Amino acid sequence: MIENWYAFALALMSPRFVTVETSFEHLAQGSHPGHRQFNVLTDSDIQDMTNMRNGGMTWKAIGLVYGLSMDAARRRILRFAESRERFMCDEMQTLQTGT
């Protein structure tokens, strides 16, 4: 009986139009209509994305390959490049100080 109220509340409070039947399906799956799954990429995936970009692919094409928007692909590649640059600077500083 309580599941009926959960489905009803989910249908009412959903950010988009959802029927009660769809709410039951979402409850059975353990998700809700507004639930977003984030695309988890490894460093090797982002390195492949970087290689694609260096090979001349557009941001949009790279995003399509990995299920990301054009802006998300661009941000990930640029953030990855910045982290690599910081890592290399830290390594150089460690080598220069000798510790």
Side-chain angles (χ1 to χ4, degrees):
M1 178 69 173
I2 192 79
E3 291 83 14
N4 294 341
W5 287 107
Y6 289 152
F8 182 66
L10 188 60
L12 284 177
M13 296 172 29
S14 176
R16 58 187 176 143
F17 177 75
V18 176
T19 64
V20 176
E21 290 80 15
T22 306
S23 296
F24 277 118
E25 292 172 12
H26 286 291
L27 286 173
Q29 294 172 358
S31 65
H32 53 85
H35 180 71
R36 290 180 45 190
Q37 292 182 344
F38 294 99
N39 196 347
V40 179
L41 299 175
T42 63
D43 283 347
S44 64
D45 291 334
I46 300 174
Q47 183 63 51
D48 290 340
M49 291 169 70
T50 304
N51 294 339
M52 288 178 189
R53 181 64 183 166
N54 292 338
M57 285 184 76
T58 63
W59 298 115
K60 187 173 185 176
I62 296 169
L64 286 174
V65 170
Y66 285 94
L68 301 170
S69 69
M70 174 180 72
D71 292 328
R74 181 180 158 275
R75 279 192 309 267
R76 296 235 181 150
I77 292 171
L78 294 178
R79 202 175 309 138
F80 181 74
E82 288 174 5
S83 70
R84 290 290 177 182
E85 186 176 320
R86 270 186 305 226
F87 176 76
M88 294 301 289
C89 288
D90 291 345
E91 287 293 315
M92 290 298 291
Q93 189 174 23
T94 302
L95 290 174
Q96 288 176 353
T97 59
T99 57

